[in-house]
Amino acid sequence: MVVCVEYISTRDSSRTPAKFTDILLGGLAPDGGLYLPAEYPQLSDEQLTQWRNLLAEQGYAALAAEVLKLFVDDIPAADLEAIAARAYTTRKFAHEEIVPLTELEDGLWIGHLSEGPTAAFKDMAMQLLGELFEYELARRGETLNILGATSGDTGSSAEYAMRGRKGIRVFMLTPAGRMTPFQQAQMFGLDDPNIFNIALDGVFDDCQDVVKAVSADADFKRDNRIGAVNSINWARLMAQVVYYVSSWLKLTDSNDQKVSFSVPTGNFGDICAGHIARQMGLPIDRLIVATNENDVLDEFFRTGSYRPRPAEETLATSSPSMDISRASNFERFVFDLLGRDAERTAQFFGIDVRADGFSLAEDDTFPEAAATYGFASGRSTHEDRVATIRDTFERLGVMLDPHTADGVKVARDWRGQVDTPIVCLETALPVKFAETIKEATGQEPETPERFADVLDAERHVTDLPNDAETVKKFITDSIRTTEV
């Protein structure tokens, strides 16, 4: 089997390759594109059988190390094993399996991704990223200033993964007033000297645009050692591939069985990892995209048209982490869909998305989105998610967070058309969304003991206007006045 060890940009027609540790500490490629493996490694029947035994005998961290080895050849294998072992421990995760799988009802399962330190699926990648960053920076004798944007859970997951780590600062942009009180408290309650919270006057897409604008300033990025932890960073998707593999292994008895996944998504990162796993040969049947009222992705998979909305048309919903109308990782999938045509990808995402978007409705590639890549999609509204939360609680005794409820609702819509078990990937614990949970069930969600004092912490956050130059000045001033 050929191990994929080189990476290319989705917009680089010259196919200039890069190594894993070089792209690890960056984010966007210099041309504004996103990194992907030059070739996806292919899984053999023998390998899947070995992994089935490995997961059962040694657990999630050992499986993660084996997946990492397929994508990384510039970190020694023994070091990758140690990195994975440090990232996925019961000291950090509340369940010994790291990602347990439970049956919700006939044909529908929940993949529990919220056992980590911030009760969100983002912990699955961030804990690994923190270990990788600290390892590589120490090896190089360098520092890194991480710039990210969050609509909810990415920020706290990144900050908890990076707090106190040598050589690292974190600058996290949040849309002012657009997160739940618990989400804000998790982030703004941190008082570590290497953590900087910024509340931007705008929506998540504005925050994401500022991150891209800063990253596109090559001189500023180089001079200030700017890196990324948003899902534009390839290492996050690589980490997320692992739980698709582990979920498939747990739900099957033989390698000829297939499993489908329903994934709540706004930025197309979580489900993009599923796309990568499927391209590697993991027996995945359907990848079901579940959106909220901000349904740009659902519209694409139904019609072939990708029409990102402006900030004023991006709705504030009760599943706020998905209040996104420009899905960064979607570029990775479209690059594959177009036969890895970098010039068309650059035109679509470098130019057309800034105008009215683009359409593949008349393109021969579009039918392949479902036929070849297994994608399906659906939309969930506030009424849908409240009804789903109420139903699963009253009928099944299971309390879902609003985003996972979106995934369950769309999975149920597709269940009659899918012949395989569907795993809905959990997004977060209900405690993060108390207002919606109480509306649906009449009860406050249970607060795990480890989060009992979160809402009482003093807040540490800086309000800034929606302006990239102002953010850059804040970053340089902070770097000058703090040591890491």
Side-chain angles (χ1 to χ4, degrees), residues 214-226:
V214 173
S215 298
D217 185 337
D219 292 338
F220 183 87
K221 183 178 179 181
R222 181 192 64 248
D223 294 345
N224 293 283
R225 299 288 302 152
I226 301 297

Side-chain angles (χ1 to χ4, degrees), residues 294-308:
N294 296 296
D295 56 355
V296 172
L297 293 171
D298 177 43
E299 181 179 59
F300 172 82
F301 285 106
R302 286 187 294 101
T303 70
S305 294
Y306 182 63
R307 299 185 305 107

Side-chain angles (χ1 to χ4, degrees), residues 5-57:
V5 295
E6 291 187 327
Y7 294 84
I8 57 173
S9 167
T10 53
R11 303 185 192 182
D12 181 9
S13 57
S14 68
R15 296 292 194 269
T16 304
K19 302 299 288 183
F20 173 77
T21 53
D22 292 326
I23 69 170
L24 168 68
L25 299 175
L28 291 172
D31 55 21
L34 302 180
Y35 286 111
L36 275 175
E39 295 180 19
Y40 293 121
Q42 296 301 297
L43 302 176
S44 67
D45 185 74
E46 179 184 11
Q47 194 167 32
L48 291 174
T49 299
Q50 291 174 346
W51 283 1
R52 190 181 300 280
N53 296 330
L54 181 71
L55 180 64
E57 295 172 4

